[in-house]
Amino acid sequence: MGSIVEAARIMLYSKNISKTLWAEAVNTVVYIINLINRAAAARKLMLRQFDIKTAFSYRDLEEDIYMKQPKGYENETQLVCKLQLSLYELKKAPRCWNKKFKNMLMIFDLKETKSDPCVFVRNKNNQLLIVIIFVDDGLIAATNNELVDIMVKYLKDNFETKEGELDHFLGIKIDRRPDGSIFIHQSSYCKCILERFNMEKANILHIPLDPQHSLDPNFSGSF
């Protein structure tokens, strides 16, 4: 599975972006995940996550693109390779994949939401179906498990898809409780950050600052 940061990066289609757009993309991903989980808790929707392997390679290119011979496959000539399928490093790859996935969902009568191109909804005969896709990681929310299973089968018929019960999505831990409520957190991510900086064995504090410390709003000195 990917991460929130990776999903935000792909949403922007390019690495040359401003910090403002980066923050907006990350916030959008987090907001959508929170919104779907709130809807699932309120309506008691069934949840399932899925992962589409090598998603970008499913989209045929709309123009001719050539590349240098890849390292390890050179034949000491000036010949170049003509791509038959999209690759992850192509700037148009995310857009091509999104178009491919969108067209496939439209056949299933799912409609793209106006607020976000990564969220698709179908509400027929009081049977609600929501599909979210970020890069190659997806989430299905539906009124019942039968509808979820139908959607999963449709995905597997079109792509190499791995699916399972929803517990982690884009680095966020999702716990569904017996009363139907949903608790989301990033304890695993926090643990990884501590391990990265060799602080996993640091002393735990329940408060971030000494409660006896007096804060002076007029203080302008340096620490």
Side-chain angles (χ1 to χ4, degrees):
M1 288 291 178
S3 66
I4 292 176
V5 174
E6 179 67 10
R9 184 180 73 82
I10 297 298
M11 284 175 65
L12 295 172
Y13 303 125
S14 172
K15 296 180 181 178
N16 299 320
I17 57 176
S18 68
K19 292 182 178 180
T20 301
L21 289 178
W22 178 273
E24 288 179 357
V26 172
N27 289 337
T28 298
V29 174
V30 175
Y31 172 76
I32 292 173
I33 294 174
N34 287 337
L35 190 64
I36 295 302
N37 279 288
R38 289 174 61 185
R43 298 195 176 199
K44 302 294 189 295
L45 301 179
M46 301 296 105
L47 296 170
R48 195 88 55 87
Q49 64 188 46
F50 64 88
D51 176 29
I52 297 177
K53 296 183 179 180
T54 60
F56 291 172
S57 64
Y58 284 103
R59 178 59 185 171
D60 296 330
L61 294 172
E62 298 176 348
E63 60 280 306
D64 292 337
I65 297 181
Y66 299 87
M67 61 174 284
K68 295 180 180 179
Q69 295 181 31
K71 187 176 181 180
Y73 291 89
E74 302 95 334
N75 61 2
E76 300 181 356
T77 70
Q78 297 300 314
L79 295 176
V80 296
C81 300
K82 180 180 179 180
L83 296 182
Q84 300 297 320
L85 296 171
S86 179
L87 295 177
Y88 274 77
E89 292 302 318
L90 292 178
K91 289 185 177 181
K92 290 186 177 181
R95 188 179 294 108
C96 290
W97 161 240
N98 182 266
K99 183 178 180 181
K100 170 77 173 182
F101 193 79
K102 174 183 175 180
N103 291 339
M104 188 270 295
L105 291 184
M106 289 178 65
I107 298 174
F108 204 75
D109 205 24
L110 281 151
K111 306 297 183 183
E112 181 183 74
T113 61
K114 295 181 180 180
S115 58
D116 193 283
C118 297
V119 181
F120 302 84
V121 178
R122 188 185 79 180
N123 195 354
K124 183 184 296 184
N125 300 324
N126 293 323
Q127 300 289 304
L128 178 63
L129 175 63
I130 304 173
V131 177
I132 305 172
I133 184 73
F134 290 119
V135 194
D136 50 8
D137 293 324
L139 187 154
I140 301 172
T143 304
N144 52 61
N145 277 318
E146 181 181 1
L147 193 54
V148 174
D149 292 337
I150 293 174
M151 187 68 237
V152 169
K153 183 180 184 304
Y154 184 66
L155 290 173
K156 289 184 176 181
D157 287 343
N158 288 273
F159 311 109
E160 186 178 356
T161 306
K162 180 180 178 181
E163 54 88 20
E165 296 300 322
L166 181 62
D167 54 2
H168 278 85
F169 190 69
L170 299 179
I172 295 179
K173 184 72 170 67
I174 301 174
D175 293 327
R176 188 146 208 178
R177 299 180 173 178
D179 62 356
S181 61
I182 297 176
F183 179 63
I184 63 175
H185 56 90
Q186 288 188 281
S187 58
S188 298
Y189 176 74
C190 293
K191 184 178 180 181
C192 289
I193 295 296
L194 291 173
E195 292 175 351
R196 182 188 303 175
F197 294 97
N198 299 316
M199 294 185 64
E200 66 271 22
K201 295 183 180 180
N203 294 329
I204 297 175
L205 292 177
H206 296 289
I207 50 177
L209 190 66
D210 182 359
Q212 305 301 321
H213 186 76
S214 179
L215 299 178
D216 185 355
N218 299 317
F219 180 73
S220 58
S222 60
F223 293 95

